[in-house]
Amino acid sequence: MNRILQNRNRFAPPVVIVIAALFVPLIITNSYIIHLLNTAMVYLIAVYGLNFISGMAGQTNLGQAGVFGIGAYASALFVTRLDMPAWLGILPAILAGLLIGVILGYPSLRVKGLFLTLTTIAFTEIARLVENNWQLIGGALGVKSVPNFFLFGIEIKTPNQFYYLMIVVVVLFSIITYRIIHSKWGRAFIAVRDNSDAVPSCGINLAQAKITAFTWSSVYGAIAGAIYSQCINYVNASSFTTDLSILFVVMMMFGGLSSMYGLIIGTVIITLLPELLRFLGDYYQLIYALIVMLFAIFLPGGIWSIVKNRQGKNKGGPNHSGVA
Amino acid sequence: METILELRGLTKRFGNLTAVNDLSLTMRKRSIHALIGPNGSGKTTTVGMINGTLPYSVGNVMFDGEDITGMKNHTIARKGVGRTFQNIKLFATMTVLENIMVGGHTLNPRSTNIVQYLFRVNNSLREETVLKEKAEAVLEFIGLKEYANREVGSLAYGLRKITEFGRALMGEPKLILLDEPAAGLNPSERVALIDTFIKAYERGTDFFLIEHNMDVVMNISTVITVLNFGTKIAEGTPKEIQTNPEVISAYLGRRYLKEVAR
């Protein structure tokens, strides 16, 4: 009985959130805002992924934009050049994510220190330059007219249709992510962050754990990129800069590291922030940077940490390692 | 008598300094073997070589009849060598229960990778439940059941030491290497920790112990090996070691030899 009640507590908020999300397009009729929310949901998948390696395993990864871009290119080229149905474009993206995880993760995670941070920054830049200059894949023009998803014979073309598709995708990814966070691998990732010296003595292969976290991060990032290419029907290297990598990190930190609610809050707010601050005109960048900085200084645990601390005080009880 | 651990001519040099010099020792099954010696005599280095954290070029380590020389740290842990650390190394943001569960990461894996885990839902839920129940049993055994859901960061030092020991126990090791377990504990915490060791020993786990605190060493060890400047100078039962002239001079200096003998 107790267990059922506990489970209800745990599963009620997500259900409420999803139901509320279903009504959003009925209330907000501005299709640009819906498009921004769609982008936020695409980004959320990349941020979920980033959370495995950076939030949980504590290895700073500034290459998520590079991965995102390669996923977008792999999918867009596959679909347009080979004339494949759009949803099949997810497959080359997954493959690209796996390859990046192993090829980039293996050398840079077997050693301690900042190597991953450095190699991932370089990786993003190299990927962007290659995408921008390689005429065979479109060069500076990018890949145009990426076709839309078709679902049961219906073309997903309006922002509202895409919104509902993304709700389904995000729910799916949220379930997978939740299950990984609460598995023995999730605990192993956090163990790597908390005290990597003690990890091998628990029988866990430290390098393997980091590479696993990084590979999952890359696969998520590449899938997000693939979906992004369908979302805007167009892929261009100039979108996949280190700035975007940093944006992903900010989204992850802003809401709250390694808590799923925190990741959702952070991603949505940071994606909408340019719109909310539009009235500032030229001062936008300045104010945006200030807000992010103030949050980093005064609320390092992210927005979600306020809620969590209050819960912790009221219940005085179990606190699941900062993982909601 | 069968041996659980055997070191053959282990040598470790850091540049010109020889930290451990040609160390050989045999540890029997069903024993608590202590390695003692003054500061800098090479005790922690020896533990590092046994469990694979420190590479060495000379010598061999045999564990339970198998040559584990040169194996990786996590491989040796999986073979049944657990350890605790001199300065507690716990996972600070996790609860006590979760810390213990990490110790059982490689126990009877039903799913060996995440993809399997995700697709075989029933299997993985059962695996998670089994792991949790086992961790709860370990907590019960070490007497920390009431702290299960506390974050380890909020625990007193002594309880953290016991938690770390519980994490080592969770992996069902045949042998646990204890690196200065009593350091920093007050007398009552020390008693609680030693009681837990004895309980685990009686249940079948052997211990290889490094310790400064003579009270602890003399009370629980069955055999003691003494190191000085990386070289073995004596070996025997606690009683033999206490009266060994070489040991006394290494610890107290030569001039005390006569006084102690009296």
Side-chain angles (χ1 to χ4, degrees), chain A residues 1 90 127 131-132 142 150 215 258 273:
Chain A
M1 186 62 200
I90 303 290
E131 286 156 2
N132 203 31
F150 273 85
T215 306
S258 72
L273 209 54

Side-chain angles (χ1 to χ4, degrees), chain A residues 176 179-180 182-185 187 190-191 193-195 197-198 200-205 216 318-321, chain B residues 73-74 77-78 89-95 98 101 105-106 111 113-114 117-118 121 124 127-128 131 167:
Chain A
I176 297 173
R179 291 202 51 215
I180 295 178
H182 292 268
S183 71
K184 60 178 184 178
W185 287 282
R187 286 188 296 272
I190 296 174
R193 177 191 70 199
D194 279 3
N195 203 324
D197 288 347
S201 67
C202 295
I204 301 167
N205 183 338
W216 277 89
N319 161 343
H320 222 266
S321 71
Chain B
N73 193 352
H74 60 263
R78 284 181 203 179
K89 293 190 173 176
L90 285 168
F91 309 124
T93 63
M94 292 191 215
T95 65
E98 286 166 334
M101 283 168 85
H105 187 87
T106 54
S111 42
N113 65 59
I114 301 182
Y117 177 89
L118 289 175
V121 178
S124 52
E127 182 176 2
E128 194 61 12
L131 197 64
R167 185 180 68 191

Side-chain angles (χ1 to χ4, degrees), chain A residues 36-294:
Chain A
L36 277 181
L37 287 173
N38 291 345
T39 314
M41 288 192 277
V42 175
Y43 284 167
L44 180 60
I45 295 168
V47 173
Y48 274 167
L50 185 64
N51 181 52
F52 291 134
I53 182 71
S54 295
M56 297 172 74
Q59 314 292 311
T60 312
N61 173 2
L62 283 174
Q64 197 67 334
V67 179
F68 189 80
I70 287 180
Y73 265 93
S75 162
L77 288 170
F78 182 79
V79 170
T80 53
R81 298 283 163 89
L82 302 178
D83 214 11
M84 289 285 180
W87 61 269
L88 268 184
I90 303 290
L91 295 179
I94 293 175
L95 188 68
L98 282 172
L99 284 176
I100 296 166
V102 176
I103 295 172
L104 193 63
Y106 196 78
S108 38
L109 286 164
R110 279 165 40 88
V111 280
K112 267 192 175 176
L114 288 171
F115 291 93
L116 185 73
T117 318
L118 295 174
T119 51
T120 49
I121 293 174
F123 167 76
T124 304
E125 280 309 298
I126 292 168
R128 188 180 63 82
L129 288 170
V130 170
E131 286 156 2
N132 203 31
N133 294 301
W134 194 7
Q135 297 308 324
L136 198 67
I137 60 169
L141 293 173
V143 184
K144 283 186 212 156
S145 51
V146 179
N148 288 316
F149 283 119
F150 273 85
L151 212 68
F152 310 115
I154 303 164
E155 187 178 6
I156 309 291
K157 55 183 175 204
T158 69
N160 276 6
Q161 284 170 329
F162 201 83
Y163 179 88
Y164 286 112
L165 173 69
M166 280 315 292
I167 292 282
V168 176
V169 173
V170 164
V171 167
L172 190 70
F173 271 88
S174 300
I175 293 170
I176 297 173
T177 309
Y178 179 88
R179 291 202 51 215
I180 295 178
I181 290 178
H182 292 268
S183 71
K184 60 178 184 178
W185 287 282
R187 286 188 296 272
F189 296 163
I190 296 174
V192 170
R193 177 191 70 199
D194 279 3
N195 203 324
S196 62
D197 288 347
V199 168
S201 67
C202 295
I204 301 167
N205 183 338
L206 179 62
Q208 194 65 53
K210 288 197 244 175
I211 293 167
T212 306
F214 183 62
T215 306
W216 277 89
S217 162
S218 301
V219 170
Y220 270 53
I223 293 175
I227 299 172
Y228 181 76
S229 76
Q230 325 279 339
C231 175
I232 60 169
N233 301 114
Y234 168 66
V235 176
N236 189 296
S238 60
S239 338
F240 313 127
T241 59
T242 304
D243 286 358
L244 182 61
S245 287
I246 294 170
L247 197 68
F248 285 140
V249 175
V250 171
M251 287 170 176
M252 181 182 77
M253 311 269 293
F254 194 78
L257 225 68
S258 72
S259 129
M260 287 184 62
Y261 290 119
L263 299 176
I264 296 169
I265 295 169
T267 307
V268 172
I269 292 182
I270 295 292
T271 314
L272 292 179
L273 209 54
E275 204 49 36
L276 300 174
L277 298 180
R278 183 180 284 255
F279 66 94
L280 293 167
D282 290 346
Y283 293 98
Y284 157 68
Q285 281 289 353
L286 182 72
I287 303 294
Y288 167 79
L290 265 176
I291 291 177
V292 171
M293 222 151 68
L294 288 175

Side-chain angles (χ1 to χ4, degrees), chain B residues 18-54:
Chain B
T18 306
V20 174
N21 185 20
D22 195 26
L23 175 64
S24 295
L25 68 81
T26 303
M27 177 185 169
R28 290 188 168 154
K29 267 190 183 153
R30 300 288 55 226
S31 69
I32 298 179
H33 195 126
L35 185 66
I36 64 170
N39 280 329
S41 58
K43 304 184 297 291
T44 299
T45 309
T46 307
V47 165
M49 288 192 283
I50 295 172
N51 88 332
T53 28
L54 271 182

Side-chain angles (χ1 to χ4, degrees), chain B residues 136-150:
Chain B
E136 277 163 353
V138 169
L139 279 180
E140 177 101 60
F141 182 78
I142 60 175
L144 290 189
K145 208 174 176 204
E146 54 191 302
Y147 298 98
N149 292 319
R150 286 269 295 273

